[in-house]
């Protein structure tokens, strides 16, 4: 199972993990390359297995919600994110690191879902809850999976909320996310952060900075077969450069993602989608 952890997060297999966590990592790795149908199949196995730890059930449900959100189904994604939060009531130790990480994932996912349906107030309240839950975790904790990773996801959606609402703090929040991402072992997470920072640059009128960053992300994602993020980068470039080439590339990538099982739906207008939180 160690290769799944590397494919999903570029970390070695943790020495102690809850039951089913390896299969959850497999679903994350599949989703990262846009293989949504295969990822959903693994999630179904994880959720349906009575032996799976409740924290892993929650993480798997939040992963499925993310796949739905990536395809533009923000309203539908709330069902799985809500279930991810509710199932944690069964956890015996509410302060366990994996339980807290799962709770943060569910809250942050719900916040991203609400961005897509325009309920910015709900997004803000959910992000405050997630921040409060993560606040007292030690900064020196080197377990990135259960501390650094959810904190980075929180920074992403905080920045995206600022972008959606026209908050002038978006640039500063994007810079904070970049600083948080420096500690991330996962290149995919660093690239996602760079693309969000590019969106803040575009919103601030610094299109040249945004274009350069999005081009770097697109190239890096092509090397690693990170199709959903590559598609997002080319979609951003299509809106910024308007030369036709990036739009055509984005459309071609979209076709590949559909072939891999991602059923696209309507999405809100944005230079960077909250789809990838």
């Amino acid at each position: 199972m160690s290769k799944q952890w590397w494919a999903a997060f570029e970390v070695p297999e943790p020495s102690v993990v809850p039951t089913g966590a390896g299969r959850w990592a497999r679903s994350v790795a599949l989703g990262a390359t846009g293989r949504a149908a295969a990822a959903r199949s693994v999630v179904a196995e994880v959720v349906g297995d009575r032996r799976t730890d409740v924290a892993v059930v929650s993480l798997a449900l939040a992963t499925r919600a993310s796949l739905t959100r990536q395809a533009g189904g923000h309203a539908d994604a709330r069902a799985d994110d809500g279930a991810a939060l509710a199932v944690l009531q069964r956890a015996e130790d509410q302060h366990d690191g994996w339980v807290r990480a799962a709770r943060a994932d569910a809250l942050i996912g719900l916040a991203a879902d609400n961005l897509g349906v325009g309920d910015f107030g709900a997004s803000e309240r959910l992000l405050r809850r997630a921040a409060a839950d993560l606040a007292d975790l030690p900064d020196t904790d080197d377990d990135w999976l259960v501390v650094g990773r959810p904190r980075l996801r929180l920074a992403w959606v905080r920045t995206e909320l600022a972008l959606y609402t026209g908050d002038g703090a978006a640039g500063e929040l994007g810079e904070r996310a970049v600083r948080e991402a420096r500690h991330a072992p996962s290149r995919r997470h660093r690239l996602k952060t760079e693309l969000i920072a590019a969106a803040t640059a575009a919103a601030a009128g610094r299109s040249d900075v945004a274009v350069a960053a999005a081009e770097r992300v697109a190239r890096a994602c092509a090397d690693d077969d990170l199709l959903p993020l590559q598609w997002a980068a080319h979609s951003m470039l299509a809106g910024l450069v308007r030369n036709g080439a990036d739009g055509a590339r984005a459309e071609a990538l979209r076709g590949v993602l559909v072939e891999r099982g991602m059923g696209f739906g309507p999405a809100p207008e944005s230079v960077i989608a909250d789809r990838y939180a």
Side-chain angles (χ1 to χ4, degrees):
M1 278 292 186
S2 59
K3 66 179 181 180
Q4 309 306 341
W5 291 99
W6 190 261
F9 305 112
E10 294 186 57
V11 297
E13 183 174 2
S15 56
V16 179
V17 295
T19 302
R23 286 186 294 170
W24 164 66
R26 170 67 173 161
S27 72
V28 172
L30 288 167
T33 58
R35 292 175 171 81
R40 286 179 179 278
S41 178
V42 175
V43 167
E45 293 175 4
V46 172
V47 173
D49 189 338
R50 292 180 178 272
R51 298 168 297 176
T52 304
D53 187 272
V54 66
V56 177
V57 171
S58 176
L59 288 164
L61 289 167
T63 297
R64 188 165 66 191
S66 178
L67 294 169
T68 303
R69 187 166 56 248
Q70 285 180 27
H74 297 74
D76 292 338
R78 291 181 296 184
D80 272 333
D81 276 324
L85 187 60
V87 75
L88 291 172
Q89 296 175 12
R90 293 169 18 204
E92 294 181 3
D93 182 0
Q94 291 294 318
H95 297 288
D96 173 75
W98 284 89
V99 171
R100 294 180 72 166
R103 186 161 53 242
D105 272 9
L107 289 167
I108 294 163
L110 281 166
D113 299 336
N114 278 285
L115 283 182
V117 299
D119 193 342
F120 303 138
S123 290
E124 185 174 2
R125 291 189 295 274
L126 288 158
L127 290 174
R128 283 201 299 265
R129 286 180 60 187
D133 206 40
L134 295 171
D136 63 346
L137 294 176
D139 290 334
T140 55
D141 194 322
D142 60 357
D143 194 340
W144 183 77
L145 283 171
V146 299
V147 180
R149 183 189 61 81
R151 279 183 172 162
L152 180 56
R153 295 185 72 240
L154 176 65
W156 289 346
V157 184
R158 275 177 163 168
T159 305
E160 289 161 352
L161 175 60
L163 284 169
Y164 266 79
T165 57
D167 188 337
E172 180 183 349
L173 290 168
E175 290 173 2
R176 289 183 191 174
V178 169
R179 290 195 295 271
E180 187 79 41
R182 288 174 185 159
H183 306 290
S186 165
R187 188 184 191 204
R188 173 169 59 90
H189 286 75
R190 296 193 301 271
L191 289 170
K192 163 69 188 284
T193 308
E194 186 173 359
L195 193 60
I196 291 176
T200 67
R206 295 181 292 135
S207 296
D208 55 337
V209 174
V211 168
E215 287 176 342
R216 285 195 301 271
V217 171
R219 289 193 298 270
C221 289
D223 291 341
D224 292 350
D225 194 34
L226 301 174
L227 256 66
L229 197 51
Q230 184 186 3
W231 171 74
H234 280 290
S235 296
M236 179 188 290
L237 288 166
L240 292 171
V241 181
R242 301 186 185 280
N243 60 8
D246 286 297
R249 183 59 179 149
E251 189 61 26
L253 289 167
R254 186 180 188 276
V256 177
L257 289 169
V258 170
E259 290 175 357
R260 293 183 179 186
M262 186 174 289
F264 282 89
E269 293 292 331
S270 176
V271 291
I272 175 65
D274 45 88
R275 296 174 177 215
Y276 300 94

